[in-house]
Amino acid sequence: MTDLSARIKPSAMTIDEHSPGLILRSLIIGLTAFLTVVDLFATQAILPSLTRHYGVTPAAMGFAVNASTFGMAVAGLVVGFFSPHIDRRTGILLSLALLAIPTSLLASAPNLAVFTALRVTQGLCMASAFALTLAYLGEQCSATDAGSAFAAYITGNVASNLVGRLISAAVADGLGLAWNFYFFAALNLAGAVLVYFTIGRVQPMHAMMPADSPLAATIANWRNPQLRAAFGIGFCILFAFIGTFTFVNFVLVRPPLSLGMMDLGLVYFVFLPSIVTTLLAGKVAARLGTRPTIWGALAVAGLGPPLMLAPHLAEVLAGMVLVGVGTFFAQAAATGFVGQAATDNRGIASGTYLACYFCGGLVGTAVLGRLFDSFGWQACVTGVGVALALAALLTFVLKP
């Protein structure tokens, strides 16, 4: 970005050398991602407080907080479907500006049903901006720069997990739950301002040439076995991630760990290594291939769940670090793969991938929440392990 449309012309798609200003663009790309999805998981840091505030079970509150993933899944499909006809800049800008409305209304949500509906609305706005930005990057970056651009965007997502949770815990602890949501609404507006000044007007590439109908393109994507496998991998990745980082909060605040709200926020420094490692995903995938990269990332993530069953904080934190590093690395590699495998209609392919990814989060919340309430943390962790194993099996379908 940094007026990416002015610096990266559509013709750059055929250029194999790095475009100038890559580091600055990567920084802006990451910051845009951060401000787009900072609301998504930040609320998890205050889950125990919200559970007490609404007087519900951990599974019910976890489902309400993660209901944003349902909105994101729907928006991913809809935006992907109509992507060839949507102006990227206008769509991203409006999505982020509108996101501030449900975010601020969460401060006064009277009950869990309203809270859930507002989270779904947040998801609709977040995914619209997310999908359009991925489509923009896929269309405007050269083949060499694309991997780094997608990795930078996912890294911004990772940073939002850390900084968003820290901010949420600090603001809620110091000023109360309501001010937490007002603060995040301000961040949403800041994202809209950033997009206004950094993304220039560029006609969607597929609007410049004849293309299949959106329905035909969607069917074609699903018929591609490699894309189909990538969609399944995305589903499993967020299924495992959500299961880990939603319900571990309740483990951390209960004996024997018994952490307070601010301590719970500080725990999410476990995402700090992921910010560094995810930036490398594009280069690693380019050198080793997508399949080994995702397998390696999933193997790292798979080492984490057993550690989180330990009664000692250090081991639990180590397990959280491993799950975070592995799942985000795999997500960055899978996202880049979709952009490369979908030679046509990249916006539709990216939207479908995001829909599957966020559906995985919603299903993970429902399934693993039920396991957590009924059978405890060990059953939840087992479900996480099964999802990671399934993702590893699906990776066999991808090209090396």
Side-chain angles (χ1 to χ4, degrees):
M1 296 178 199
T2 58
D3 195 1
L4 284 179
S5 60
R7 297 185 179 222
I8 306 179
K9 304 296 184 184
S11 60
M13 292 295 293
T14 61
I15 298 175
D16 289 328
E17 58 190 33
H18 288 293
S19 303
L22 179 62
I23 294 177
L24 180 58
R25 280 200 309 277
S26 295
L27 178 62
I28 300 300
I29 289 168
L31 184 56
T32 302
F34 173 87
L35 294 171
T36 299
V37 295
V38 69
D39 305 81
L40 183 57
F41 296 121
T43 312
Q44 289 182 349
I46 56 174
L47 258 175
S49 297
L50 287 170
T51 301
R52 291 191 297 270
H53 178 75
Y54 287 103
V56 295
T57 66
M61 196 68 241
F63 184 85
V65 164
N66 292 316
S68 54
T69 58
F70 174 75
M72 297 191 83
V74 172
L77 281 177
V78 173
V79 172
F81 201 80
F82 294 103
S83 177
H85 309 291
I86 300 175
D87 178 83
R88 307 305 191 222
R89 181 178 186 270
T90 302
I92 298 168
L93 185 61
L94 284 177
S95 297
L96 291 175
L98 292 174
L99 175 58
I101 298 174
T103 303
S104 59
L105 291 176
L106 281 168
S108 55
N111 53 55
L112 195 63
V114 174
F115 185 97
T116 303
L118 289 172
R119 286 292 286 173
V120 171
T121 306
Q122 278 188 305
L124 291 170
C125 297
M126 282 187 278
S128 297
F130 199 100
L132 288 171
T133 304
L134 289 182
Y136 181 92
L137 295 176
E139 293 165 353
Q140 302 303 318
C141 290
S142 69
T144 303
D145 286 349
S148 297
F150 285 124
Y153 198 73
I154 302 302
T155 300
N157 186 357
V158 179
S160 74
N161 276 269
L162 167 59
V163 180
R165 284 176 165 93
L166 289 174
I167 292 173
S168 185
V171 174
D173 191 39
L175 300 175
L177 290 173
W179 277 102
N180 169 75
F181 296 112
Y182 292 138
F183 186 87
F184 279 95
L187 290 181
N188 300 151
L189 294 176
V193 171
L194 177 66
V195 168
Y196 180 83
F197 286 107
T198 59
I199 294 184
R201 294 187 179 276
V202 177
Q203 188 180 17
M205 290 191 70
H206 293 297
M208 301 177 189
M209 62 189 75
D212 294 333
S213 70
L215 180 59
T218 301
I219 293 173
N221 287 334
W222 276 104
R223 285 177 175 171
N224 183 326
Q226 296 197 60
L227 283 176
R228 196 164 58 239
F231 298 157
I233 291 168
F235 180 97
C236 293
I237 288 173
L238 197 60
F239 185 105
F241 180 88
I242 286 272
T244 300
F245 290 100
T246 295
F247 300 106
V248 73
N249 292 283
F250 297 101
V251 175
L252 291 170
V253 299
R254 293 173 179 173
L257 301 178
S258 303
L259 299 184
M261 183 183 292
M262 197 57 225
D263 292 330
L264 188 61
L266 293 174
V267 158
Y268 287 98
F269 273 107
V270 296
F271 288 117
L272 197 57
S274 300
I275 296 176
V276 178
T277 58
T278 305
L279 277 172
L280 304 175
K283 294 180 180 179
V284 173
R287 176 168 294 186
L288 300 181
T290 300
R291 188 193 296 170
T293 299
I294 295 180
W295 271 337
L298 293 173
V300 170
L303 296 174
L307 290 174
M308 290 187 293
L309 295 173
H312 306 294
L313 183 60
E315 290 162 308
V316 174
L317 294 181
M320 294 171 71
V321 168
L322 291 171
V323 172
V325 167
T327 53
F328 278 118
F329 207 93
Q331 160 70 341
T335 303
F337 175 81
V338 170
Q340 295 168 4
T343 54
D344 294 314
N345 300 297
R346 286 190 175 93
I348 293 176
S350 295
T352 304
Y353 175 82
L354 289 178
C356 294
Y357 177 72
F358 291 116
C359 274
L362 186 65
V363 174
T365 301
V367 172
L368 298 177
R370 180 61 61 89
L371 288 175
F372 183 82
D373 277 355
S374 301
F375 303 105
W377 177 231
Q378 186 169 1
C380 183
V381 166
T382 301
V384 169
V386 170
L388 294 173
L390 181 57
L393 290 175
L394 289 169
T395 305
F396 275 103
V397 181
L398 305 184
K399 65 182 180 181

